[in-house]
Amino acid sequence: MAVRNETRVTQFILLGLSSDPDLQLIFFVLFLVMYLLTIAGNLLIVITICVDSHLHSPMYFFLSNLSFLDLGFSTVAIPKSLVNFVSQSKIISFNDCIAQMFFLHFFGGVECFHLVLMAYDRYVAICNPLRYNTIMSRQVCLLMVASTWVVGFIHACGQVLPTIQLPFCGPNEINHFYCDAHPLSLLACTNTFISENSDMINSGILTLACTLIVFMSYTYIIYAVLKIRSAEGRQKAFSTCASHILVVTLFFGPMVFMYMRPSVSFDSDKLISGFYTIVTPVLNPFIYTLRNEKVKKAMKRLGCRKVSSL
């Protein structure tokens, strides 16, 4: 026991995406540009929806929350990666590593449930349009969003608690660009069967359950849309849901692959996990604004208001 305490790992080394200096510089520029776009795009959506009274409805309330979650999700992973790309020392302390893992799963878990709420919102709007304002009242929306944060916190605790109980006595090189449960468990100097299966059950079942609920919601939505007589009405209903379906596919697709399989490590895992932590948050603002006339008009009004004030 004394030997284990003396050799206990207090810091880790994040190996990142590549050890090639030229590739690291390319990744640095790519990550920096995408992170700046993520901040600018999602902040613009949050500010526009908060300022413009025309967008004070449940649909846009959920959209602004999604943008805030994307900001948090990418901020947990990218800044540390940017530092590591241009630094010789790629060290992260044990506590910082655990904190990063917690907040990644916290924001990721909240976003999973939030996408389910957005699917439910579209289901009520299309399948029960006359009761929409009653069902999706402001109090109900606030309660549902608050519940996603609570469940996300519970999910993150379920990921972190089994991991921090593992003994780490070397090696300390994490084959990833951020801390996650599976790469960490590979470094534990004990049997990690319980920890790895807890990770797969917790994240895997969460992702699969959310995916199935969204799929069921859109099954009912498509059935309701097909019953609309006018072609224009069907097209409008489908266009309302198209953006959300695309976002759900981009977010849940890689996550299902990552967590709904045995704990096997592939080099491609780093690129796949980078897709939903980096690529999806930067694409979401473009997906929603380019396909939504109300948001584009609101942004124009915000721009005109800013110019006139100057």
Side-chain angles (χ1 to χ4, degrees), residues 224-235:
V225 170
L226 291 176
K227 292 168 65 176
I228 299 176
R229 294 183 178 181
S230 67
E232 183 180 352
R234 287 195 300 270
Q235 183 179 0

Side-chain angles (χ1 to χ4, degrees), residues 162 166 182 185-186 188 190-201 262-263:
L166 296 174
H182 176 58
S185 65
L186 294 176
T190 187
N191 190 306
T192 59
F193 177 81
I194 296 177
S195 175
E196 290 181 357
N197 281 276
S198 173
D199 176 33
M200 187 176 70
I201 292 171
S263 297

